[in-house]
Amino acid sequence: MPDTAAALIIPRQREQDQPCHVKRELVEAMIDLHPGGMVWRRTFPGTFDQVPAARHFTRFLLLDSPCQDDAEQIVAELAANAVQHSSSGRSRGTFIVELTRTTATITIAVYDCGWGGVPRFGARCRTIAEHGRGLAIVAALADQAGYEGDDAIGHRVWAKIHSPFSARTTRF
């Protein structure tokens, strides 16, 4: 007999997602109403069990986007790095996920609490290494990536994805 209590605490992944039935043109018209695009932010407790919640947040906001899977993976890598490599992972630490969406780009940023390592996007990782591939994955998925900040104020690690199917580029 399966343990039902354990089944209740395991976060569901893809079966909760509903197909998006909103026309892309309507979504982009709504985004165009806001100069600079639309911005969403959410603060998460600085624990590893919050990384799936950050993924779900991203998936929900980008349900209609062809970049949804890449953005979700980027958020997972950056959130895990914030928890692992900064004071976000300490007692009472937090990290913030920010998504900025224009009709042409999606910018994903994760803010940490500082006092950790500086992100190195160009660092090479060993082929058989079990760790140290997160920023390489982010760099491979994103069109641009970088970071700002320092140990005292925290870091903003970001990645930008250009939407391949924006209405502006597909209209004739």
Side-chain angles (χ1 to χ4, degrees):
M1 181 171 166
D3 184 4
T4 56
L8 295 176
I9 62 169
I10 299 172
R12 292 186 179 167
Q13 294 292 320
R14 307 221 187 259
E15 62 265 22
Q16 286 183 336
D17 297 332
Q18 299 295 319
C20 183
H21 299 290
V22 179
K23 291 184 178 182
R24 179 170 281 116
E25 294 83 16
L26 296 176
V27 172
E28 291 185 352
M30 185 174 57
I31 291 169
D32 278 341
L33 290 174
H34 302 276
M38 296 180 75
V39 179
W40 298 273
R41 284 183 200 94
R42 182 171 169 196
T43 303
F44 296 90
T47 58
F48 284 109
D49 65 341
Q50 292 300 303
V51 174
R55 290 180 75 128
H56 289 248
F57 174 68
T58 303
R59 178 162 285 280
F60 173 76
L61 292 174
L62 300 177
L63 197 58
D64 67 300
S65 174
C67 303
Q68 176 189 42
D69 292 332
D70 290 348
E72 185 181 359
Q73 184 64 42
I74 289 169
V75 163
E77 297 296 343
L78 296 182
N81 279 357
V83 173
Q84 178 73 33
H85 300 294
S86 78
S87 63
S88 291
R90 293 182 186 160
S91 178
R92 298 185 189 169
T94 60
F95 65 91
I96 299 170
V97 173
E98 176 185 83
L99 275 83
T100 304
R101 186 170 178 185
T102 68
T103 53
T105 62
I106 296 167
T107 304
I108 301 118
V110 173
Y111 295 80
D112 66 33
C113 293
W115 302 108
V118 175
R120 292 183 295 151
F121 284 96
R124 295 180 51 106
C125 56
R126 293 180 33 215
T127 307
I128 60 171
E130 293 183 21
H131 300 284
R133 297 173 187 244
L135 291 179
I137 291 169
V138 170
L141 293 174
D143 293 300
Q144 295 173 295
Y147 76 94
E148 296 141 5
D150 58 31
D151 280 345
I153 63 169
H155 300 96
R156 175 184 182 262
V157 186
W158 57 269
K160 187 177 284 193
I161 303 171
H162 298 289
S163 181
F165 300 114
S166 81
R168 293 176 191 256
T169 59
T170 58
R171 290 187 184 139
F172 297 106

